[in-house]
Amino acid sequence: MEFLTQNLAPIMFAGLIVFLLMGFPVAFSLGACGLFFGFVGIELNVLPASLMQALPLRIFGIMKNDTLLAIPFFTLMGLILERSGMAEDLLDTIGQLFGPIRGGLAFAVIFVGALLAATTGVVAASVISMGLISLPIMLRYGYDRRIASGVIAASGTLAQIIPPSLVLIILADQLGKSVGDMYKGAFLPGFILTGLYVAYIIGIAIFKPKWVPALPLEARSIRESNGDSGLRSLGLLTLASLAISVYFAQNYAQITSYFKGEVITSMPTDETIVVAMSVGVGVAFIGSVVNKLLGLNLLSKMAEQVTFVLIPPLALIFLVLGTIFLGIATPTEGGAMGALGAFLMAAARGRISYKLLTQALTSTTKLSCFVVFILVGSTIFSLSFQGVDGPKWVEHLLSSLPGGQIGFLIFVNILIFVLAFFLDFFELSFIVVPLLAPVAEKLGIDLIWFGVLLGVNMQTSFMHPPFGFALFYLRSVAPLTEYIDKLTGKKIAPVTTGQIYWGAVPFVIIQVIMVGLIIAFPNLVSGGLGKVAEVDSSNVVIEAQPQSDKADATEMDGNKLFGPADPPASAVDPLEAAAQDSKK
């Protein structure tokens, strides 16, 4: 009995693993395990019975959490866009644009995947859309099946890390941080990861050109009447738009100072990028509209098509992310505006219908209920786990790892990578992250940086053979048997499950490399913003206070690289205090 009393926390954690391995739903496994061990702890006098009175208040707190409202809003936005045909138009146009170069269709898939990630935020919608539209075209023109399937699955998972990602909302909630700050932190890593995907395809195009052939001339349908591709006018329009964006970015602080009537020397990098891009895109759109209305014929068909297809989703990105980054709207308000914008875009295309709305609302309701039930279950589990001193057990277990912060980060990332074989990102966020966050904070690791790092790592959960959900989504739409291509009349061989799995492996390696880059270069998160604040030395008051040996050692060994100072020792969890009183 004494052994049970002293080791109830690890026994409770092992019990949860047993529940999960038995195949019970995650939400009910968490809740049942929490209640069972809570009652066991009460009987053993390990935790007070009064502790369970906090449970209703915690559940009501979940229901009153405004942050979680962003989940149904962004899910609804993504589902409406996916069913409105936006992905089809984007893939067709961008495929025509990049088609003449080797690997052009793969580049188009990566570009559209990043764009869909920034508008839909839903992995399933992105992977299924691109699998249905792009995979037959890539197979038709001789793409290697491993490359084709891998690039589609990997590009779809960009919705995990590029805002407005659902996993970033959950991580922000579990870490007790702002969703807007988490979005800003993930802004650069998401696009760097996209660049690594592009670099991999460039390498394939150089060393294995037969795997990623260019589109033949007869497949390029968007051309001028004289047969010209029309890329010259598109290039000029792009250069003009880029030049205006760069000029605006360089003078953004001065422009803001003029309108606010005060001297501003610098502006946040992420805000500058978003606003400058919006200005450049707006100029290109206005130029295209003027050219079309006045019949100036200054732009080619390709330039007009690319502009009119790209502008609506880019405008939606600014409506959602731009307003969040500028501080005009909260993430929840941004999600609401995004859902309304998606509805208006679908209506403008004539794609809105009662059936579409019913399907989108049903799927949104299912996902939202799924998230809330897991959150309720994890709350029950965490309440009992804290009562039996579980956080202390985890802290002692992880803080004693060799290597300090780096050792902790390596262990945690290996743990998340392995658990991602069996658990999806929702389950990892609700079960594992609450256990890791207090230890990370005690070690002086910034939780926004830590959340983005975990988000990139959790992205691999969608790509792990053989359990990755993105691979399952692609398998559901990839051809299982040989078929006759409607356009060419040729027999097309099926895509095997093994080809899908092998195609995913290089992209999983790229994602692991991205995790290493974030650890090696922590300023990649938020571009280093917020790490070092500017201080007016004229107003500084220095007060001498005694410091503990631990604080001196921490300052000396440079452990403050990844974030703020340790929390004060006086900040004691009331649940922990109640448990300690009971033991006395």
Side-chain angles (χ1 to χ4, degrees):
M1 191 65 68
E2 184 179 353
F3 174 81
L4 186 63
T5 302
Q6 294 179 353
N7 297 278
L8 194 57
I11 293 172
M12 183 177 178
F13 191 74
L16 174 62
I17 296 174
V18 171
F19 269 106
L20 294 174
L21 292 177
M22 290 174 67
F24 286 103
V26 175
F28 301 122
S29 296
L30 285 165
C33 189
L35 289 175
F36 175 76
F37 283 97
F39 293 135
V40 170
I42 292 171
E43 291 297 322
L44 295 175
N45 290 323
V46 176
L47 55 86
S50 59
L51 186 65
M52 304 308 288
Q53 294 177 358
L55 190 56
L57 296 176
R58 285 197 162 202
I59 294 176
F60 277 113
I62 294 171
M63 302 306 173
K64 293 191 296 183
N65 190 344
D66 292 340
T67 301
L68 297 178
L69 275 175
I71 293 175
F73 283 141
F74 283 126
T75 304
L76 181 62
M77 178 183 78
L79 292 172
I80 291 177
L81 289 176
E82 184 259 331
R83 287 167 171 78
S84 69
M86 184 191 74
E88 184 176 352
D89 294 342
L90 280 170
L91 284 166
D92 180 58
T93 302
I94 305 304
Q96 291 287 325
L97 176 62
F98 290 115
I101 62 176
R102 290 173 184 168
L105 290 177
F107 293 136
V109 167
I110 294 172
F111 180 82
V112 173
L115 204 57
L116 290 176
T119 49
T120 65
V122 181
V123 173
S126 299
V127 174
I128 291 174
S129 297
M130 293 191 294
L132 286 171
I133 300 163
S134 293
L135 187 58
I137 300 174
M138 298 171 91
L139 297 180
R140 177 185 302 156
Y141 296 112
Y143 266 68
D144 183 89
R145 281 160 171 72
R146 294 167 297 177
I147 298 297
S149 58
V151 76
I152 290 173
S155 300
T157 61
L158 288 172
Q160 277 283 95
I161 193 62
I162 295 179
S165 162
L166 296 183
V167 69
L168 293 179
I169 298 174
I170 299 296
L171 285 171
D173 180 70
Q174 292 299 297
L175 295 171
K177 295 296 180 180
S178 162
V179 177
D181 290 341
M182 195 69 76
Y183 279 178
K184 290 178 181 179
F187 190 73
L188 286 180
F191 288 104
I192 291 173
L193 184 60
T194 306
L196 292 177
Y197 289 170
V198 171
Y200 172 67
I201 297 300
I202 290 174
I204 294 294
I206 294 173
F207 297 106
K208 295 287 185 181
K210 292 184 179 179
W211 288 4
V212 285
L215 278 179
L217 188 62
E218 61 271 14
R220 306 172 198 169
S221 58
I222 305 178
R223 305 182 69 84
E224 300 300 298
S225 55
N226 60 1
D228 186 62
S229 63
L231 294 177
R232 183 178 301 172
S233 66
L234 176 61
L236 292 174
L237 180 65
T238 303
L239 288 175
S241 175
L242 185 61
I244 292 172
S245 297
V246 171
Y247 178 80
F248 186 90
Q250 291 175 341
N251 297 276
Y252 183 43
Q254 290 84 346
I255 295 171
T256 307
S257 300
Y258 174 78
F259 282 104
K260 288 190 174 183
E262 57 185 87
V263 178
I264 299 175
T265 57
S266 63
M267 297 294 292
T269 304
D270 47 11
E271 179 180 328
T272 303
I273 292 173
V274 170
V275 176
M277 287 175 60
S278 301
V279 170
V281 167
V283 169
F285 181 71
I286 292 172
S288 300
V289 170
V290 170
N291 177 75
K292 191 172 184 67
L293 292 178
L294 300 181
L296 300 178
N297 295 323
L298 296 176
L299 297 177
S300 63
K301 292 180 181 178
M302 177 66 78
E304 286 191 353
Q305 179 75 4
V306 169
T307 303
F308 291 128
V309 168
L310 281 181
I311 293 302
L314 289 175
L316 190 63
I317 291 171
F318 175 75
L319 182 66
V320 177
L321 298 182
T323 53
I324 294 173
F325 287 175
L326 294 174
I328 299 172
T330 65
T332 302
E333 293 165 346
M337 290 192 296
L340 178 61
F343 180 86
L344 294 176
M345 281 179 57
R349 293 167 177 265
R351 308 279 179 87
I352 203 72
S353 66
Y354 178 77
K355 182 179 179 182
L356 182 149
L357 284 177
T358 302
Q359 291 175 344
L361 288 171
T362 301
S363 299
T364 300
T365 304
K366 287 180 180 178
L367 179 65
S368 301
C369 292
F370 170 75
V371 171
V372 170
F373 268 96
I374 290 184
L375 188 50
V376 169
S378 68
T379 298
I380 297 172
F381 178 84
S382 66
L383 183 67
S384 298
F385 196 66
Q386 288 185 48
V388 299
D389 285 340
K392 283 191 174 181
W393 169 69
V394 174
E395 181 182 338
H396 292 157
L397 186 68
L398 297 181
S399 59
S400 60
L401 293 170
Q405 286 182 340
I406 297 298
F408 168 77
L409 291 171
I410 292 173
F411 174 82
V412 164
N413 280 283
I414 292 174
L415 176 67
I416 294 290
F417 185 83
V418 173
L419 290 177
F421 277 94
F422 313 102
L423 303 174
D424 67 15
F425 70 92
F426 278 126
E427 295 158 356
L428 288 170
S429 299
F430 289 128
I431 298 172
V432 182
V433 173
L435 304 178
L436 300 177
V439 183
E441 194 168 22
K442 288 280 181 71
L443 290 173
I445 298 174
D446 179 55
L447 292 185
I448 291 292
W449 180 90
F450 189 60
V452 173
L453 177 68
L454 293 183
V456 175
N457 198 333
M458 287 181 191
Q459 188 178 353
T460 61
S461 69
F462 278 90
M463 293 290 292
H464 275 315
F467 304 113
F469 284 104
L471 308 183
F472 293 158
Y473 299 145
L474 184 59
R475 175 70 280 172
S476 68
V477 296
L480 284 168
T481 58
E482 187 178 74
Y483 68 97
I484 304 297
D485 184 68
K486 295 180 180 179
L487 186 63
T488 61
K490 296 180 180 178
K491 287 185 178 181
I492 304 295
V495 177
T496 66
T497 303
Q499 289 170 338
I500 294 176
Y501 287 169
W502 280 112
V505 171
F507 292 96
V508 172
I509 294 172
I510 291 174
Q511 290 169 353
V512 172
I513 291 172
M514 188 65 213
V515 171
L517 288 176
I518 293 176
I519 294 176
F521 305 100
N523 284 348
L524 289 177
V525 175
S526 286
L529 295 176
K531 300 293 179 184
V532 180
E534 294 183 3
V535 179
D536 184 1
S537 58
S538 62
N539 296 324
V540 172
V541 178
I542 300 175
E543 296 182 2
Q545 292 183 353
Q547 293 184 342
S548 65
D549 295 337
K550 177 185 175 183
D552 291 337
T554 300
E555 294 296 336
M556 290 297 291
D557 67 10
N559 270 359
K560 296 303 176 188
L561 173 63
F562 294 106
D566 294 343
S570 59
V572 179
D573 192 322
L575 298 176
E576 188 177 308
Q580 294 296 332
D581 291 341
S582 171
K583 290 179 180 178
K584 294 178 182 178

